[in-house]
Amino acid sequence: MLKGYVDSISPDKLSLTGWVQVGEDGEDPDLWLDLDGKQTGTTVFGAERADVRSALGLANRSFTLTLETPLQSQNVLANAHQVAAAAEGVRSFIPLGGSAYHHLLADFVRTAAANVRGSREVILEALEVKERTLSKHFAEVRASSEAGELSYLGFPVGLRSSDDVGQIGKDGHLFLTGGSNALRDQYRGPKDAAEAELLEKRAAMWASAIRANSAVLDDLGIPFLQVVIPEKLTALRHLAPLAVTGPTPLYRRLDELMENEPNYLSFLSMFEDWSDDLEAWQRNDTHCSPAGTLAMTRLLLDRLPGCDPAILDRVELTGTIYRNGDLAPKFFDIPLWDKQHIPAPGTLGDPEIELVFSHSPGNFVGSHNIWTNQSAPIKKKVVVFGNSFFGSVTSPTRLSWWFARLFSEYHFKWENTVDMEYVRDVRPDFVIAQSIERFLVRPPRIPGTD
């Protein structure tokens, strides 16, 4: 009988890898998936597994068995479908080992819990799992939560989310502190000459890209503005769950390099000097409140030639809604509602916003949308290259909400590099590039260096 194991199964369940003992004369065995007596799959053999030879003393070969249709977890677990190997006329079944069995079992449990009514509860009971999810009875109180009938509980400052992406700060504010950009580490100063050199290099690359974009667009006769928005941790460091004394060293250095340059706008001082009665940031979200985006929009208009920020003088944030935030799911399985002060209906007239083009690659990054507004007060075309701080036109917590109402034609591309070919094709009146503090570790492409 041949020995062997299936060690792993690919997520799409189309590929199985493992090892199998070779025949007495060292020949590779035949290996396939047995589907009720039918042979299926294509096998490619690799080198001998040294760990198997060392542990068991068996001559063996690694293998990859590729299938045309995905493996059915329940049939394999029930041994109805099995991996089989044959050498010298003797057939053996190759069992599941390593992580393969556990992955198939987990897949079967997930499928059963999703597709068969009552299975989830039975599985949890059998596993003696005490379920404490808040979402179980949330539907019956959704109406009261949306109406602002809320009860406030105290949580310790500094408490981390289970995925270590966010932390609870003071005054009920949730903060992004981790994530793929290692935000906490960005506030630490360089620990040696190599890190100091890297910081200087990144700041210089940003400055070079901004100046190069400015030069190209200046030749085209198009005003350009590079915008950098501080992190909530930086702007609200007095409420932060960890010690933050100022902006990240990279943001501070970029501000120094670009000080007084006409094509650069940092909102750092605006938030540091914030004195409005309404908060500039949402409590449960990484983004600004409507008051914060209104203030940013005002400064943007002030820096765009021919755009009078006085247009916004009549805007009053007298409406209220209760809104969930993007950090809430990091901590709980139900929404966390934050009271938002929004513009009163008709504040900017009766906008005739129309989405005339939309492209999405399946996620936000790379998406491209164009809106027109026949009733816009500014009869200009603006192109923005940015991220979620512009985002959607449906909420005044995003800059796109304001731009789609203020400009007669608004283009938004979710990317961090100015697409000069697109600009030449569209010929807008203004171009804005926007980034956020934590993304400064990834400088944009410098025009002319491709």
Side-chain angles (χ1 to χ4, degrees):
M1 300 293 288
L2 297 177
K3 296 183 180 296
Y5 277 108
V6 177
D7 289 335
S8 65
I9 300 173
S10 64
D12 59 9
K13 297 196 285 292
L14 288 173
S15 178
L16 297 83
T17 59
W19 64 271
V20 64
Q21 184 180 358
V22 299
E24 289 185 1
D25 296 327
E27 75 276 13
D28 295 337
D30 295 324
L31 191 140
W32 68 92
L33 180 67
D34 188 298
L35 300 179
D36 301 319
K38 178 183 177 182
Q39 296 184 13
T40 185
T42 302
T43 301
V44 175
F45 289 100
E48 182 176 74
R49 287 268 298 268
D51 58 328
V52 174
R53 168 74 79 164
S54 175
L56 303 177
L58 296 176
N60 69 89
R61 295 288 298 277
S62 59
F63 69 81
T64 299
L65 174 61
T66 303
L67 309 176
E68 293 183 0
T69 57
L71 203 66
Q72 296 180 4
S73 302
Q74 66 275 20
N75 288 334
V76 177
L77 292 170
N79 291 327
H81 298 168
Q82 295 178 277
V83 175
E88 301 169 353
V90 179
R91 186 176 69 167
S92 307
F93 288 112
I94 307 301
L96 301 179
S99 63
Y101 177 81
H102 299 98
H103 285 168
L104 277 189
L105 185 60
D107 180 74
F108 171 72
V109 169
R110 282 193 298 268
T111 303
N115 297 335
V116 181
R117 185 179 179 85
S119 293
R120 184 172 185 274
E121 290 74 14
V122 172
I123 292 169
L124 291 176
E125 182 179 353
L127 295 174
E128 297 183 354
V129 175
K130 304 301 181 184
E131 191 174 21
R132 297 176 180 271
T133 56
L134 293 171
S135 61
K136 189 172 185 178
H137 301 293
F138 177 68
E140 64 191 51
V141 295
R142 176 178 286 276
S144 62
S145 63
E146 292 175 343
E149 189 177 347
L150 304 171
S151 180
Y152 293 88
L153 303 174
F155 288 91
V157 170
L159 181 66
R160 299 191 185 195
S161 61
S162 59
D163 58 5
D164 199 22
V165 166
Q167 287 180 258
I168 296 178
K170 301 174 185 177
D171 195 26
H173 278 277
L174 305 182
F175 289 85
L176 178 72
T177 61
S180 59
N181 294 287
L183 184 54
R184 295 186 201 102
D185 294 340
Q186 291 193 37
Y187 286 91
R188 178 179 54 80
K191 63 182 180 182
D192 53 35
E195 287 193 359
E197 183 179 353
L198 178 59
L199 185 148
E200 190 66 28
K201 179 181 178 180
R202 284 171 171 166
M205 289 176 67
W206 267 101
S208 296
I210 296 169
R211 290 164 182 155
N213 285 328
S214 300
V216 173
L217 291 168
D218 186 58
D219 288 342
L220 295 174
I222 302 174
F224 169 68
L225 198 58
Q226 173 69 56
V227 177
V228 179
I229 300 173
E231 289 296 324
K232 185 178 179 180
L233 268 176
T234 297
L236 299 184
R237 49 187 179 268
H238 60 291
L239 301 175
L242 44 86
V244 176
T245 58
T248 59
L250 178 54
Y251 190 14
R252 183 186 297 112
R253 181 59 180 141
L254 178 60
D255 268 10
E256 291 171 353
L257 291 175
M258 301 303 297
E259 186 178 10
N260 299 323
E261 294 208 18
N263 301 106
Y264 178 75
L265 174 59
S266 169
F267 288 112
L268 180 59
S269 61
M270 185 196 83
F271 288 116
E272 289 182 333
D273 298 335
W274 190 263
S275 60
D276 196 298
D277 291 337
L278 299 181
E279 291 196 58
W281 295 80
Q282 300 174 68
R283 278 185 167 83
N284 55 2
D285 201 282
T286 56
H287 299 87
C288 292
S289 69
T293 53
L294 171 57
M296 287 194 291
T297 303
R298 188 183 299 277
L299 280 184
L300 284 164
L301 293 185
D302 188 53
R303 296 287 294 273
L304 298 177
C307 297
D308 188 358
I311 294 173
L312 300 171
D313 288 349
R314 62 179 181 272
V315 173
E316 296 182 354
L317 303 179
T318 56
T320 58
I321 61 169
Y322 289 84
R323 189 174 185 276
N324 187 26
D326 61 7
L327 284 172
K330 303 296 182 184
F331 295 88
F332 307 102
D333 64 337
I334 61 170
L336 292 181
W337 304 94
D338 181 38
K339 184 178 182 179
Q340 295 293 310
H341 297 272
I342 61 174
T347 295
L348 292 173
D350 188 16
E352 302 173 36
I353 300 171
E354 181 181 359
L355 179 64
V356 296
F357 176 82
S358 182
H359 165 72
S360 175
N363 51 33
F364 293 120
V365 178
S367 61
H368 177 198
N369 294 286
I370 304 172
W371 294 271
T372 60
N373 180 4
Q374 298 299 320
S375 62
I378 303 176
K379 306 302 181 183
K380 301 284 186 180
K381 182 192 304 183
V382 60
V383 172
V384 173
F385 301 93
N387 55 41
S388 61
F389 274 79
F390 271 87
S392 168
V393 302
T394 60
S395 170
T397 61
R398 302 296 192 269
L399 289 164
S400 284
W401 187 93
W402 300 90
F403 271 57
R405 285 157 176 77
L406 291 171
F407 292 91
S408 57
E409 189 171 327
Y410 169 49
H411 299 231
F412 175 56
K413 297 192 75 175
W414 197 309
E415 54 188 67
N416 76 331
T417 300
V418 175
D419 184 345
M420 288 299 179
E421 289 188 12
Y422 183 77
V423 171
R424 291 186 177 94
D425 182 53
V426 172
R427 300 295 302 189
D429 296 287
F430 310 111
V431 171
I432 296 173
Q434 173 264 317
S435 189
I436 176 116
E437 186 173 3
R438 66 180 175 274
F439 291 162
L440 293 179
V441 294
R442 294 179 280 174
R445 185 179 67 250
I446 298 175
T449 61
D450 296 345

